[in-house]
Amino acid sequence: MQNGVFEITIQFHRDLFHEIFLKRTQLSSIRGLFEQSLKGILFSTETIRRLAPRFRDLENQSGFDSVIELMSILNELAKDEGARCLSGDKIYNADYIYMDSVRMEKLIDFMNANFDRPVRLAEAAELVGMAETAFSRFFKAKTGVNFVDFLNEIRLGHAVRMLIDTKDPITEIAASCGFTNISNFNRTFKREKDLTPKEFRARHGNVRERRFF
């Protein structure tokens, strides 16, 4: 598609690239890439076109090979001389950067551990020692979405897996993923997946073998 837009999301635990690991000279390029990414990076069209197939192919790799390939891709991105920061005027302090990354890791771990129950904004804000208003601004700046939407994305991820892998009733799946209202679950699922949970299960639930990356 000539003018098409596609998105690929790759998630990895921050321990994969621990601060001590990144301090090695051999990884200086990736360390620099991560520091620049806090401002947002727009890569050159040439680099995007060259690396896009490798990003897509990551899904077909696993274990050691997938980690090595990811590091190789990140290194290639770091060497893109045509890349530019989207927010070049802001100055970042390394101590604040580290503090923010620790807060986000704590929050994501918290959401993954508690997605199956109601979670109040105040509870998450208290976890990282912030007032609710400041926390809302902080979270939106770091993720691009508000706290509730991010939490619902985690919940929907678990719901999708259960719709595919189990025959549990949809009402039970919704409840076990933290949705206290089935109407809200159906509405949220439809908005994000462009299918109702029932339609999604009918389309994907009969797949015998499926790999997740």
Side-chain angles (χ1 to χ4, degrees):
M1 195 162 39
Q2 186 176 0
N3 296 319
V5 177
F6 68 92
E7 174 182 328
I8 298 175
T9 301
I10 299 174
Q11 294 180 314
F12 51 86
H13 198 281
R14 69 185 295 266
D15 282 351
L16 182 62
F17 296 100
H18 195 275
E19 283 79 11
I20 296 176
F21 185 50
L22 288 175
K23 285 181 180 179
R24 295 184 176 275
T25 304
Q26 297 89 337
L27 294 174
S28 60
S29 61
I30 295 179
R31 182 176 68 248
L33 177 69
F34 287 165
E35 292 173 353
Q36 293 285 335
S37 70
L38 294 169
K39 305 176 185 180
I41 304 176
L42 179 63
F43 295 100
S44 66
T45 301
E46 179 184 350
T47 295
I48 293 171
R49 287 175 177 169
R50 179 166 52 86
L51 294 180
R54 293 177 62 184
F55 271 112
R56 293 190 186 100
D57 194 51
L58 270 175
E59 182 181 18
N60 301 318
Q61 302 187 38
S62 60
F64 182 79
D65 291 337
S66 66
V67 174
I68 293 299
E69 176 65 359
L70 174 60
M71 293 177 66
S72 176
I73 290 173
L74 292 174
N75 186 55
E76 290 296 317
L77 290 173
K79 294 189 296 184
D80 183 7
E81 296 181 354
R84 63 183 179 87
C85 291
L86 298 177
S87 179
D89 296 333
K90 189 172 182 179
I91 299 175
Y92 290 82
N93 179 282
D95 292 335
Y96 286 118
I97 291 172
Y98 178 73
M99 184 182 299
D100 285 352
S101 67
V102 170
R103 281 172 171 165
M104 286 305 303
E105 180 183 11
K106 184 181 293 187
L107 285 166
I108 291 174
D109 286 346
F110 170 75
M111 286 186 281
N112 278 315
N114 295 278
F115 71 90
D116 57 345
R117 68 172 180 84
V119 177
R120 295 178 297 109
L121 181 67
E123 186 179 0
E126 183 179 359
L127 179 69
V128 292
M130 301 178 72
E132 287 187 49
T133 303
F135 171 76
S136 294
R137 290 196 300 266
F138 165 79
F139 196 90
K140 181 68 177 288
K142 293 299 177 184
T143 66
V145 297
N146 63 43
F147 177 77
V148 172
D149 287 342
F150 194 98
L151 179 60
N152 280 340
E153 287 180 11
I154 292 176
R155 288 169 169 161
L156 288 177
H158 288 276
V160 163
R161 181 70 63 88
M162 294 181 70
L163 286 168
I164 293 173
D165 291 345
T166 77
K167 295 182 179 180
D168 295 347
I170 291 175
T171 52
E172 290 185 12
I173 291 176
S176 66
C177 291
F179 291 94
T180 57
N181 184 295
I182 186 62
S183 296
N184 181 43
F185 172 66
N186 288 330
R187 184 168 55 251
T188 303
F189 197 100
K190 172 74 173 179
R191 184 179 67 242
E192 297 299 324
K193 306 299 181 183
D194 203 30
L195 292 169
T196 66
K198 183 177 180 180
E199 291 169 341
F200 182 90
R201 171 172 269 175
R203 180 174 297 185
H204 301 286
N206 60 349
V207 177
R208 291 186 177 181
E209 183 177 351
R210 182 175 297 271
R211 294 186 61 188
F212 294 90
F213 179 78

